[in-house]
Amino acid sequence: MNTIVQSAIAESLPAFLAKKNYTSIAVLVDNNTKKHCYSLIKDLLPKHKLIQIAPGEKAKTLATCGHIWEVLTQQETDRHGLLINLGGGVIGDMGGFCAATYKRGIDFVQIPTTLLSQVDASVGGKLGIDFNAFKNHIGVFQVPNAVLIDPAFLNTLPEAELRSGFAEVIKHCLIRDKSMWEVISTKDLHEQNWPALIAHSVAIKDVITTEDPTEKGLRKILNFGHTLGHAIETLFLGTKKHLLHGEAIAVGMLCESFIAMQLGQITKAELAEIEAFLIAIYGMVPLEASEFDTIINLTSQDKKNKGKEVRFSLLEGIGKATFDQAISKNQMRKALEYYAN
Ligand SMILES: NC(=O)c1ccc[n+]([C@@H]2O[C@H](COP(=O)([O-])OP(=O)(O)OC[C@H]3O[C@@H](n4cnc5c(N)ncnc54)[C@H](O)[C@@H]3O)[C@@H](O)[C@H]2O)c1
Ligand SMILES: [Zn+2]
């Protein structure tokens, strides 16, 4: 069970720190969260060490972990030290991984500062880093000592990052809550009620990941949109303009909704509804027919697969999802063709 608190950081952080006596505290930031977020917590903390890294996915490497472990070691952090991860999913996943493995594990707190990390990455205990070309290839499951969510951090977040995180909110509604889907899908990005949506998404993800922490079953529904979405994200990494995670997942959700429609799990009208909203928010990502094979082949790297089968989490009506559905290359190709046309 996660300890997740959504309130002003000026209340939640001192309350957390008052519960235990830490021998040392370090705060992990990237250049952007140092600039925009650190000032909101700096004065709430006793003496601490700041660990600053470069922003973005490219820093999510073993080399950066080496630097973090190095600073913790220099600071003589013992098993009673605390690491505070102040940033988006990169900081949370990597800082959490470093804390969970440093001296076999020290306490750590997630203070997520992007929408994506507030509604998704900070909940559920998946930690890790990228390795070679593979995303989140090395990691562990470990629940943080607390997740402190303050929507105020979003005030400085670039709009593209907000839109990217919104894809996970949309996903949570589509797989689990039709009534909230009806609320969000009538509003554009700037009309959304973020504090309410964050609480809603966190509750959904927390329930699912508490029931199935290590993704043996139910947790897989959170991968809706992510099988083709991740493959498209990877394709764009190598060859094209940069695509944010949520932008790729939006394409994935649309393609995978098409597959569900083909299988008779959602209606044509439901597909049309999902399609209209996703395209209104995200526009179209240019996909060429010549890229379909690469995308389809990339899905074989998916962590949800068993043996050679590529397994999807698909909608079953709006508000419900299945998992472990084996989908053929041909079905994937049809979905990509549908999207591209
Ligand atoms: N652990 C999980 O369950 C899980 C789930 C989803 C995603 N993830 C991981 O999360 C990562 C993506 O997370 P992300 O989208 O938060 O990326 P990110 O951490 O790279 O943050 C995005 C950008 O926003 C900047 N930023 C962060 N907070 C800011 C703020 N308040 N104001 C201004 N700028 C700010 C960052 O410096 C960065 O440039 C990926 O590595 C992904 O694998 C993990
Ligand atoms: Zn995602």
Side-chain angles (χ1 to χ4, degrees), residues 292-310:
F292 294 171
D293 277 339
T294 313
I295 296 170
I296 291 165
N297 289 335
L298 281 166
T299 61
S300 66
Q301 276 297 328
D302 201 281
K303 288 185 203 65
K304 299 176 296 300
N305 296 341
K306 191 155 183 206
K308 283 206 151 57
E309 255 176 27
V310 181

Side-chain angles (χ1 to χ4, degrees), residues 30-33 36-37 54-57 60 86-93 112-118 120-128 130 135-136 152-158 161 164-165 168 171 205 219 226 230 233 244-246:
D30 67 28
N31 300 348
N32 297 322
T33 62
H36 298 293
C37 308
E57 190 72 28
K60 200 179 175 186
L86 179 70
V90 169
I91 290 282
D93 280 14
T113 61
T114 61
L115 181 60
L116 186 125
S117 58
Q118 294 190 347
D120 188 355
S122 65
V123 183
K126 277 190 187 175
L127 308 169
D130 303 334
K135 271 202 75 176
N136 302 325
F153 285 113
L154 303 181
N155 294 339
T156 56
L157 194 66
E161 297 290 347
S164 175
E168 307 292 355
K171 177 191 79 180
K205 187 162 183 195
R219 184 171 183 156
H226 282 62
H230 267 154
E233 188 177 12
L244 292 176
H245 176 70

Side-chain angles (χ1 to χ4, degrees), residues 231-249:
I232 290 163
E233 188 177 12
T234 307
L235 171 80
F236 273 66
L237 261 184
T239 60
K240 292 194 174 186
K241 82 167 179 74
H242 185 61
L243 205 58
L244 292 176
H245 176 70
E247 295 171 325
I249 296 317

